[in-house]
């Protein structure tokens, strides 16, 4: 299976972005536990207007990240792996299992407690880190496995976005929501009228973001719904969707996501940090990401193939799907994002414990996935040589 130029460019940018995310996360953890700890943590809480620096990053810049996710999803639906329902079914079912099973494990441990709201935390997959780890295996990775993991992660992000919109919205200011949707409707009309100039869409998107921010629904959702009114056209290099997606790739991968990571992983590691890992919340996050993700992705994929809904690509084996499922357990960006929403009224301690659990789970999932795939893909390659 050959990879398109667009997919190769996406894969390469996510690979480099994943390595940068790892570096800034380690840097942030180091600074948060150095002699400048107090000043470093206080800096991110510095107020700018009615919000802190971290709030502007999480509510503002991350809307641009969600816009890019929406554009990628739009491209996959119109001209990618999700355009053909038979091809799309495998990663769709895999992603569904990768959300349901981890959430189920978390709820089994936390239902009825003050932390049950964190069920969405282990449902997420970090595209940049997952692809970054997969890329370390080089050309031994089949193209179909790269496509499966990427499509699964994009669908997973869509699921996380839906979860945020439905379960992490406290109250809705209907008038502001009406204004946001009215602007979206106007942009949709521009789309149907074949207006391809990006300026009105970007200006309208900024206005949508403002009203969505004041509606009670998380403002980052604006990015996703805006993406689907950006004209796709034929999907070529001259189309508005392609130009915007291409423009956003580097700023998102090398500025926005690293900034989000460094602002949200400044966690002071106290002497009793390990005690937080014994809480049901932390156990649920780690078990959900490390065990629930690969189990759910493999199980739902297997059932979909068994019942004839889709087929397993010829160059893939079920061992490969398990390995991809392990990498799917790297939650990081979206898991931290959901943590901030789930526990925003429960204090810094539970948020920090959750972040530590996410970092540990993501490290375990990435390490296990890498080792599993390295062993199995190497064995697969050896068998092919013997056959020749």
């Amino acid at each position: 299976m050959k990879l398109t130029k667009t997919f190769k460019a996406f894969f390469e940018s996510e690979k480099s972005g994943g390595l940068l995310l790892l570096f800034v996360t380690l840097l942030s953890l180091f600074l948060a536990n150095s002699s400048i700890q107090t000043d470093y943590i206080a800096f991110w809480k510095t107020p700018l207007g009615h919000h802190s620096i971290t709030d502007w990053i999480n509510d503002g810049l991350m809307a641009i990240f969600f816009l890019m996710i929406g554009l990628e999803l739009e491209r996959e639906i119109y001209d990618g792996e999700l355009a053909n329902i038979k091809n799309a079914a495998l990663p769709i079912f895999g992603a569904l299992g990768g959300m349901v099973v981890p959430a189920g494990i978390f709820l089994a441990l936390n239902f009825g407690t003050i932390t049950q709201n964190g069920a969405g935390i282990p449902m997420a997959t970090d595209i940049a880190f997952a692809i970054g780890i997969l890329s370390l295996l080089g050309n031994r990775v089949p193209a179909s496995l790269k496509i499966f993991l990427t499509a699964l992660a994009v669908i997973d992000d869509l699921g996380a976005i839906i979860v945020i919109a439905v379960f992490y919205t406290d109250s809705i200011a209907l008038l502001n929501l009406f204004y946001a949707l009215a602007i979206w409707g106007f942009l949709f009309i521009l789309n149907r009228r074949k207006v391809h100039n990006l300026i009105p869409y970007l200006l309208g998107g900024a206005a949508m973001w403002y009203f969505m921010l004041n509606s009670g629904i998380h403002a980052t959702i604006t990015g996703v719904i805006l993406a689907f009114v950006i004209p796709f056209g034929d999907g070529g290099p001259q189309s508005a969707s392609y130009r915007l997606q291409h423009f956003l790739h580097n700023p998102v991968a090398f500025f926005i996501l690293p900034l989000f990571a460094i602002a949200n992983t400044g966690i002071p590691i106290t002497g009793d940090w390990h005690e937080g890992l014994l809480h049901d919340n932390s156990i649920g996050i780690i078990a959900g990401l490390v065990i629930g993700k690969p189990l759910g992705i493999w199980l739902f994929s297997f059932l979909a193939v068994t019942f004839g809904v889709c087929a397993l690509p010829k160059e893939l084996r079920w061992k490969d799907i398990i390995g991809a499922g392990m990498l799917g357990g790297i939650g990081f960006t979206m898991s931290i994002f959901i943590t901030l929403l789930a526990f925003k009224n429960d204090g810094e301690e539970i948020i920090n414990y959750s972040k530590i659990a996410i970092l540990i789970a993501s490290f375990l999932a990435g390490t296990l996935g890498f080792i599993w795939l390295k062993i199995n893909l190497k064995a697969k390659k050896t068998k092919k040589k013997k056959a020749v």
Side-chain angles (χ1 to χ4, degrees):
M1 183 182 289
K2 293 183 179 180
L3 300 177
T4 64
K5 288 183 179 179
T6 304
F7 185 88
K8 282 182 179 178
F10 171 80
F11 193 86
E12 287 302 315
S13 69
E14 295 299 317
K15 167 185 172 181
S16 303
L19 296 175
L20 180 59
L21 275 179
L22 178 60
F23 171 75
V24 298
T25 298
L26 294 174
L27 175 63
S28 184
L29 285 169
F30 171 76
L31 293 175
N33 293 278
S34 68
S35 58
I36 64 167
Q37 177 189 90
T38 303
D39 291 335
Y40 178 73
I41 293 174
F43 170 76
W44 296 110
K45 295 179 180 178
T46 303
L48 286 178
H50 297 297
H51 303 279
S52 68
I53 292 175
T54 301
D55 288 337
W56 281 113
I57 293 169
N58 295 346
D59 294 343
L61 289 181
M62 286 299 282
I64 300 173
F65 163 71
F66 278 82
L67 171 59
M68 196 187 77
I69 290 294
L71 290 170
E72 288 165 355
L73 185 63
E74 180 188 41
R75 178 166 297 278
E76 287 294 321
I77 290 171
Y78 285 124
D79 190 33
E81 231 1 61
L82 306 182
N84 182 314
I85 191 62
K86 194 76 174 176
N87 293 337
L90 186 64
I92 286 175
F93 274 91
L96 184 62
M99 290 184 280
V100 172
V101 175
I105 290 174
F106 185 94
L107 282 175
L109 293 166
N110 291 271
F111 187 75
T113 71
I114 60 170
T115 54
Q116 70 174 9
N117 207 31
I121 297 171
M123 294 171 68
T125 294
D126 190 289
I127 298 179
F129 267 132
I131 290 177
I133 296 295
L134 190 65
S135 69
L136 296 177
L137 294 164
N139 58 13
R140 73 179 75 185
V141 181
S144 54
L145 185 60
K146 295 178 182 178
I147 292 172
F148 173 79
L149 180 60
T150 304
L152 181 142
V154 170
I155 297 164
D156 195 293
D157 276 344
L158 175 62
I161 290 162
I162 293 171
V163 167
I164 290 169
V166 175
F167 296 104
Y168 296 111
T169 298
D170 296 330
S171 59
I172 300 176
L174 291 177
L175 186 59
N176 283 315
L177 179 59
F178 171 78
Y179 288 147
L181 294 179
I183 294 170
W184 186 87
F186 174 71
L187 297 179
F188 178 77
I189 292 171
L190 291 184
N191 180 305
R192 303 310 295 173
R193 293 271 183 174
K194 301 190 184 302
V195 176
H196 293 281
N197 190 315
L198 277 169
I199 293 176
Y201 295 100
L202 297 179
L203 291 177
M208 275 175 61
W209 176 85
Y210 172 80
F211 288 115
M212 197 69 82
L213 179 67
N214 291 284
S215 73
I217 295 176
H218 205 271
T220 51
I221 301 299
T222 305
V224 181
I225 63 175
L226 175 63
F228 281 88
V229 292
I230 303 291
F232 185 78
D234 62 359
Q238 300 307 314
S239 69
S241 177
Y242 180 94
R243 284 185 287 119
L244 184 58
Q245 183 183 353
H246 185 72
F247 174 80
L248 290 177
H249 256 140
N250 286 343
V252 167
F254 301 111
F255 176 69
I256 292 175
L257 287 183
L259 194 58
F260 171 84
I262 204 167
N264 289 284
T265 56
I267 310 166
I269 308 296
T270 58
D272 62 346
W273 67 271
H274 55 281
E275 291 180 10
L277 299 179
L278 301 177
H279 294 174
D280 289 341
N281 172 61
S282 298
I283 295 172
I285 291 172
I286 295 172
L289 287 172
V290 178
I291 300 172
K293 270 290 185 179
L295 176 62
I297 290 169
W298 173 82
L299 179 62
F300 275 53
S301 298
F302 181 78
L303 291 174
V305 171
T306 300
F307 288 103
V309 179
C310 55
L312 187 70
K314 288 183 179 179
E315 55 183 343
L316 290 187
R317 302 171 301 167
W318 288 114
K319 288 182 179 180
D320 302 328
I321 300 297
I322 293 172
M326 289 177 175
L327 295 183
I330 305 174
F332 199 72
T333 303
M334 200 66 87
S335 291
I336 290 175
F337 192 81
I338 294 175
T339 295
L340 299 173
L341 297 177
F343 302 132
K344 62 183 177 182
N345 299 319
D346 298 312
E348 282 291 318
E349 186 177 59
I350 191 170
I351 289 176
N352 284 339
Y353 283 152
S354 297
K355 287 180 181 178
I356 291 172
I358 291 166
L359 292 176
I360 291 173
S362 296
F363 174 77
L364 287 174
T367 303
L368 292 172
F370 176 79
I371 293 172
W372 177 276
L373 286 172
K374 185 174 183 180
I375 292 172
N376 284 288
L377 290 176
K378 185 177 181 181
K380 187 177 176 182
K381 199 171 183 180
T382 304
K383 283 183 181 179
K384 278 187 178 180
K385 283 183 179 178
K386 285 182 178 178
V388 173

